[in-house]
Amino acid sequence: MNQYKAFRVKQQPDSTVEFLLFVAPARDVNNWAHADDIRLDKNSVQRELVESRWRQVMRFFKADPQRNVIPTNVTLAFDSELRRVENLADLDDGQPGYFLSDNGDQTWELVFPDSVRDQTYVIDGQHRLKGMAAHTLPINVPIALLMNLPPLERAFQFVTINNKSHKVPTDNLKALIHNFSDIEEGLRARLSNASITSPRFATHIDVMNEQTDSPFYKMVAWVNNRHADGKQVIAPTAIENALKEITRAFPETKEDDADAILVLSSIWKEVFSNYGITIANIEDYKNLTTKAVIQTITNMIVERIVKERDPAFSPGPITRAGASEARETAIKLIRDIPADFWKEEWSLRSLDTSAGRAIIINSIRQLKINLVNQPNENWRSAVQLYGGIETDGEAQEDV
């Protein structure tokens, strides 16, 4: 049985909606509550649980066990059909129900079994809850438990909570950073580990370079890559431009920087995985890691997804299932391209132009055509990157 001492709250004198406030181990809560699945139009009320998001929360706590806390409560709701028993003895582990009793000291005793899970919903905070529960150490989470909430009221609460939430204004963050400039490095590291971007500190580039599950971990060629075993191979502008392309194509990724980062990471994890690329051998793939190629590969994948998406058959946001669409499209593009294509010298130079990137696209297409139509022949045949059209003077270099 789960047993908690709680405060019972009625925010307005005439309110018919009451809730309990208490603290519980996140692992326990994860056992007796689940994300709501109410649907509004075609989209579920709760955003799908994204692994990268809850892992960000877990990393946040691991990054600084002494100082990193999330005091914001997770909002849950008991379904209106969940029975309340009058006597504690009437509770049974296998029968969903709860017991609530006034302790006489302004607190209430709440008791229930794990079997309430199917009738206990996470209204807000599912990624926080999952990330805390997945931590190797026990993490306590503040809980606001709404009592006896029917589906319509649960949906209303979800929309209200999320529409009333706002990011900290950029000017406020700039002021904070200016006033505490002496803590620059420590703040940057803590924000990066938590996948939080802000002006001057913890940019998208920081997150991609500092997160251990990023495909570009310790590989970004810039001053903040201070790892002793780091490699300066990935241009920051390649990451910035790739993320711009993702947010342009998928407007749903504009609200949260972590969404665009998730899509980009999903693409390049698959690319690197296909060739077994790690920080130890990344420099062998000198063509693949150029700014022009990173932008081109990302753009090709993004454009393919957009082209294939039909609103009538849309599977939801691009972040669905950990950006599985991006992963699958990356596999289709990169599959069968020989590793030598990315390792050996190309005849053409100055590819970081619109004309140069067009040549990269045409070369990839010709190479794959060769592999299909002439599997036993030289796959380099007629591939522009191995000779032919020069790019000098074709266009100005993009930034």
Side-chain angles (χ1 to χ4, degrees), residues 269-282 284-285 339:
K269 279 181 183 178
E270 290 300 332
V271 174
F272 282 11
S273 175
N274 186 74
Y275 299 106
I277 296 175
T278 66
I279 195 168
N281 64 4
I282 184 69
D284 295 339
Y285 294 81

Side-chain angles (χ1 to χ4, degrees), residues 17 55 90 113 133-134 161 168 246 259 288 291 294 320 332:
V17 177
R55 285 191 177 278
D90 294 334
I161 290 169
V168 178
I246 289 168
D259 288 341
L288 184 61
K291 175 174 175 277
I294 288 176
R320 183 180 177 86
K332 290 177 183 177

Side-chain angles (χ1 to χ4, degrees), residues 99-384:
F99 173 74
L100 185 65
S101 174
D102 189 347
N103 290 325
D105 61 356
Q106 297 187 326
T107 67
W108 292 71
E109 203 71 20
L110 175 65
V111 186
F112 54 86
D114 284 351
S115 57
V116 301
R117 177 180 173 82
D118 288 344
Q119 292 175 280
T120 306
Y121 304 95
V122 181
I123 302 296
D124 182 63
Q126 63 168 334
H127 290 96
R128 271 174 281 142
L129 178 59
K130 174 65 175 176
M132 292 177 183
H135 198 290
T136 52
L137 298 176
I139 304 293
N140 288 323
V141 56
I143 298 294
L145 176 63
L146 292 150
M147 310 294 290
N148 305 317
L149 234 57
L152 179 59
E153 188 64 26
R154 295 204 309 270
F156 175 81
Q157 292 296 334
F158 175 87
V159 172
T160 300
I161 290 169
N162 284 275
N163 281 352
K164 295 302 181 185
S165 298
H166 299 283
K167 289 186 175 182
V168 178
T170 297
D171 288 345
N172 291 3
L173 283 172
K174 288 180 177 177
L176 172 68
I177 290 165
H178 177 74
N179 292 334
F180 294 93
S181 58
D182 58 320
I183 59 172
E184 175 173 346
E185 180 57 26
L187 181 57
R188 182 190 67 80
R190 290 184 70 187
L191 292 174
S192 297
N193 286 332
S195 293
I196 300 171
T197 59
S198 69
R200 181 174 162 192
F201 290 133
T203 65
H204 304 88
I205 315 304
D206 281 305
V207 173
M208 295 299 292
N209 188 69
E210 299 299 327
Q211 281 198 349
T212 55
D213 62 348
S214 165
F216 303 143
Y217 178 50
K218 299 183 182 180
M219 298 180 187
V220 180
W222 78 331
V223 67
N224 283 343
N225 185 353
R226 299 185 175 97
H227 297 282
D229 59 342
K231 300 287 181 69
Q232 305 268 330
V233 291
I234 308 295
T237 50
I239 296 173
E240 290 175 340
N241 291 343
L243 288 170
K244 286 178 184 177
E245 178 64 18
I246 289 168
T247 55
R248 180 199 64 77
F250 309 110
E252 67 268 30
T253 63
K254 292 180 179 179
E255 182 179 348
D256 190 336
D257 294 332
D259 288 341
I261 290 172
L262 169 64
V263 176
L264 183 62
S265 293
S266 297
I267 290 172
W268 284 93
K269 279 181 183 178
E270 290 300 332
V271 174
F272 282 11
S273 175
N274 186 74
Y275 299 106
I277 296 175
T278 66
I279 195 168
N281 64 4
I282 184 69
E283 291 172 314
D284 295 339
Y285 294 81
K286 53 191 174 184
N287 297 329
L288 184 61
T289 57
T290 63
K291 175 174 175 277
V293 170
I294 288 176
Q295 288 183 223
T296 301
I297 292 293
T298 303
N299 290 359
M300 289 178 74
I301 291 168
V302 167
E303 289 175 5
R304 181 65 177 179
I305 295 172
V306 171
K307 183 178 180 180
E308 290 185 338
R309 278 191 156 212
D310 184 328
F313 299 94
S314 175
I318 187 62
T319 54
R320 183 180 177 86
S324 59
E325 279 183 280
R327 291 199 310 270
E328 291 163 4
T329 307
I331 292 170
K332 290 177 183 177
L333 175 63
I334 213 72
R335 186 174 51 205
D336 300 328
I337 297 179
D340 284 346
F341 180 67
W342 307 116
K343 292 181 174 182
E344 58 195 20
E345 290 289 340
W346 288 342
S347 300
L348 299 188
R349 298 288 187 273
S350 305
L351 294 169
D352 195 19
T353 65
S354 55
R357 287 190 288 276
I359 288 177
I360 294 172
I361 293 172
N362 291 336
S363 294
I364 290 173
R365 287 178 174 154
Q366 183 61 53
L367 182 155
K368 298 199 82 170
I369 289 172
N370 292 346
L371 291 172
V372 172
N373 296 339
Q374 306 170 27
N376 298 320
E377 302 296 329
N378 182 7
W379 51 263
R380 299 172 185 79
S381 176
V383 174
Q384 286 179 279

